[in-house]
Amino acid sequence: MQRYILGLDAGNTVIKAIIFDTAGRELALAARDGRSCMPEPGHVERDLGELWRNAVEVIRQCLDQSGIDPRDIAVIGCAGHGNGLYALDRGGDPLLGIQSLDTRGVGIVSEWAAAGVGDRTYIHCLQRPWAAQTPTLLAWLKRHDPALFAKIGTVFLCKDFIVNRLTGARSTETSDMSGCGLLHMPGRRYERELLAAYGLDDCMELLPNVLEASAIAGHVTRDVAAATGLLAGTPVVAGLFDVVASAIGSGVTSTGAASIIAGTWSINQVITQEPIRDPSIFMLSTFDPLRYLAIESSATSAANLEWIVREFFEHAPPAGASPFEICSELVASVDPAGDMPIYHPFLYGSQQNGKARAGFYGIAGWHTRAHMLRALFEGVVFEHRRHVETLRRAGAIVSQAVLSGGGSRSAVWPQIFADVLDVPVTVARSRETGALGAAIAAGTGVGLFADFSAGAAAMTAPDRCYQPNCAIAPVYERRYRLYGEINKAMGPLWDRMASERTSN
């Protein structure tokens, strides 16, 4: 009997369902875009009912496309964006979905920084609070919306909500909960002292059971089977934080390997055998008892291209043309040069300053939209480089990297990554590395693979490799330094602009 794996990948917007065989070939894919709502400035939320309806639809579409007998689906794995807050009420019904682009917690983070809260949390979870971090959002609700806070029965991350709807399980797993700063590290467990540091010592009962990523969380229920076409009783594993899933799905599983994801978020991560203890590192995660990921990230990557396409290119593209391909062609039409504009990719704030905003600097009358787009592409990579330099200063070695995410699909962006980072950059064969990583975890959970490394060896492969162009390295070096200097100079002005917004 042929055995297949269903991988789900739930991002901040799109949810995808993909059926893989055990060699990593994609047999069917279905995707559906969801909608974010912004009820107030800085608040980025989603309708959990819509998210689940979209999940049901893509699963059914995927099964219909493939023609595969549901009995041949051996197991299901799900990846989802980390942090944010996906809450059920005390009766187990959907209550609230806050996405990882949310910035309502900026004020609390500033207050906590002044009070030394980050020093106390770091002792336990090796992280400091930030605006869209799950415990920060819980603390914000507790203070600013106590009536809603009192209704919370379970605190989930995005993929935990999907697993719960599939199986009824009230569970999470170590990669997501470590990534959001709610697990003691390296103990990989909840700890009352950590919750108390966030002012959430009364929230232990809200946290779901923590499993290993490849552990079976539950099985598809009869109701879900009827709605999706899946077979009731199909096992579902606990799943993965999507950045970890993308690393595994691009073939990065060994110590010292680096994964860069150019998606909604700029993700830059290196696998280590021991957790790096350096407060400058933004995030720490783990996906099995032996390996950790040092992660530098911010919401500053391909979301910038999605924004400029949505607002300026999507409305009137040439017939049959992809607006993203048009953008790549325009970028390729101009060479990097010293008189190009500089772009800051801070549509959703920066890691260093939640009040930061995106901007083009140095625009002249002779600059075209091709120059503006090239500046945007470069600005995104400059912020990736800033993250990579932080990892290196903490002791991580980044001598080559595997690039995944939407940015890896561009014909020109991977070369800019290689040139700016000055390392060889490989693009994985699969474009759907998040769903593939979830499938690898799922296959490991039911014994199709001995472990994550064996699963990655069986299901992943490289596609393209880009070498740095030494001839343009001096240009990028100067532009990167200017990018950083403008960033520093803008800090006081961003603070002033934020004060103006709150005073109106």
Side-chain angles (χ1 to χ4, degrees):
M1 180 185 293
Q2 193 81 42
R3 303 298 270 175
Y4 304 105
I5 304 172
L6 175 62
L8 303 173
D9 185 8
N12 270 294
T13 52
V14 178
I15 183 166
K16 300 174 183 177
I18 305 175
I19 296 176
F20 299 93
D21 66 15
T22 53
R25 289 184 289 263
E26 298 171 12
L27 305 179
L29 181 154
R32 188 163 180 84
D33 204 355
R35 292 175 296 176
S36 297
C37 62
M38 300 181 185
E40 297 181 42
H43 293 217
V44 186
E45 301 178 3
R46 72 194 316 174
D47 179 345
L48 295 186
E50 179 199 59
L51 173 59
W52 174 238
R53 289 191 297 273
N54 288 350
V56 169
E57 183 172 334
V58 295
I59 292 170
R60 179 169 285 284
Q61 286 180 357
C62 199
L63 287 168
D64 289 345
Q65 275 182 40
S66 70
I68 289 172
D69 189 324
R71 290 175 295 184
D72 289 340
I73 302 294
V75 63
I76 300 169
C78 185
H81 80 77
N83 285 279
L85 174 61
Y86 288 67
L88 303 184
D89 65 20
R90 293 187 178 273
D93 293 322
L95 177 66
L96 176 68
I98 303 177
Q99 296 172 264
S100 62
L101 301 172
D102 195 277
T103 59
R104 75 185 71 185
V106 167
I108 282 181
V109 171
S110 297
E111 176 188 313
W112 282 354
V117 170
D119 294 334
R120 297 198 292 276
T121 62
Y122 190 84
I123 293 170
H124 302 279
C125 66
L126 303 183
Q127 289 185 51
R128 285 183 158 82
W130 56 282
Q133 189 187 45
T134 307
T136 304
L137 291 168
L138 266 177
W140 189 95
L141 290 171
K142 185 176 181 180
R143 178 185 299 184
H144 296 287
D145 197 342
L148 181 60
F149 177 83
K151 295 179 182 178
I152 297 175
T154 302
V155 171
F156 277 151
L157 284 302
C158 180
K159 64 95 177 62
D160 301 329
F161 173 73
I162 303 296
V163 171
N164 171 263
R165 298 293 97 177
L166 286 168
T167 66
R170 188 178 184 268
S171 66
T172 185
E173 49 72 51
T174 56
S175 70
D176 245 341
M177 278 295 170
S178 59
C180 74
L182 278 171
L183 287 190
H184 174 272
M185 298 298 289
R188 307 164 91 246
R189 64 179 185 272
Y190 296 135
E191 194 176 52
R192 290 193 179 276
E193 291 83 358
L194 173 57
L195 291 176
Y198 293 117
L200 299 172
D201 40 320
D202 54 347
C203 291
M204 183 68 83
E205 67 173 15
L206 306 183
L207 301 179
N209 296 329
V210 182
L211 305 176
E212 293 300 329
S214 60
I216 294 174
H219 298 80
V220 172
T221 66
R222 291 186 180 278
D223 288 346
V224 169
T228 61
L230 290 167
L231 181 70
T234 303
V236 181
V237 301
L240 286 165
F241 183 5
D242 64 353
V243 304
V244 179
S246 286
I248 295 168
S250 61
V252 176
T253 61
S254 59
T255 302
S259 162
I260 293 176
I261 306 169
T264 300
W265 276 66
S266 163
I267 307 295
N268 312 270
Q269 50 192 349
V270 179
I271 295 177
T272 63
Q273 284 187 312
E274 297 292 335
I276 290 181
R277 297 177 181 274
D278 187 318
S280 66
I281 298 297
F282 179 61
M283 186 182 295
L284 184 81
S285 186
T286 179
F287 62 94
D288 69 17
L290 302 176
R291 285 168 289 193
Y292 300 84
L293 286 97
I295 304 172
E296 268 291 300
S297 61
S298 58
T300 56
S301 195
N304 288 269
L305 179 59
E306 293 170 3
W307 168 78
I308 207 165
V309 163
R310 181 180 68 245
E311 298 299 333
F312 299 103
F313 288 87
E314 200 171 52
H315 307 294
S322 160
F324 295 99
E325 291 176 2
I326 292 171
C327 289
S328 285
E329 291 170 1
L330 286 167
V331 171
S333 71
V334 293
D335 294 325
D339 73 340
M340 293 266 295
I342 296 287
Y343 177 73
H344 279 155
F346 304 145
L347 290 173
Y348 301 99
S350 75
Q351 183 204 73
Q352 300 162 301
N353 183 355
K355 301 172 184 176
R357 289 295 181 265
F360 288 95
Y361 304 88
I363 302 170
W366 57 85
H367 288 136
T368 66
R369 63 178 184 168
H371 293 100
M372 304 287 280
L373 281 166
R374 177 145 203 132
L376 184 147
F377 274 48
E378 291 179 1
V380 165
V381 183
F382 288 156
E383 190 63 12
H384 275 274
R385 173 170 166 174
R386 189 189 68 77
H387 287 304
V388 169
E389 288 183 346
T390 300
L391 289 168
R392 285 171 166 159
R393 285 193 298 269
I397 297 173
V398 182
S399 57
Q400 57 183 346
V402 178
L403 179 67
S404 58
S408 68
R409 302 177 188 180
S410 166
V412 297
W413 227 340
Q415 185 63 57
I416 297 174
F417 271 90
D419 294 339
V420 171
L421 299 179
D422 194 28
V423 298
V425 170
T426 298
V427 174
R429 176 185 66 188
S430 175
R431 291 185 170 189
E432 306 299 342
T433 53
L436 181 54
I440 290 169
T444 302
V446 294
L448 295 176
F449 312 116
D451 54 26
F452 286 106
S453 295
M459 297 186 76
T460 70
D463 181 40
R464 294 167 280 146
C465 188
Y466 299 80
Q467 297 295 327
N469 182 351
C470 298
I472 61 174
V475 174
Y476 278 132
E477 188 64 29
R478 291 193 298 271
R479 288 178 58 72
Y480 175 68
R481 297 304 167 196
L482 183 58
Y483 168 91
E485 290 169 16
I486 297 172
N487 189 348
K488 183 177 180 180
M490 284 297 297
L493 295 177
W494 285 324
D495 290 343
R496 182 178 170 187
M497 290 168 68
S499 297
E500 289 292 322
R501 288 193 297 271
T502 56
S503 65
N504 290 337

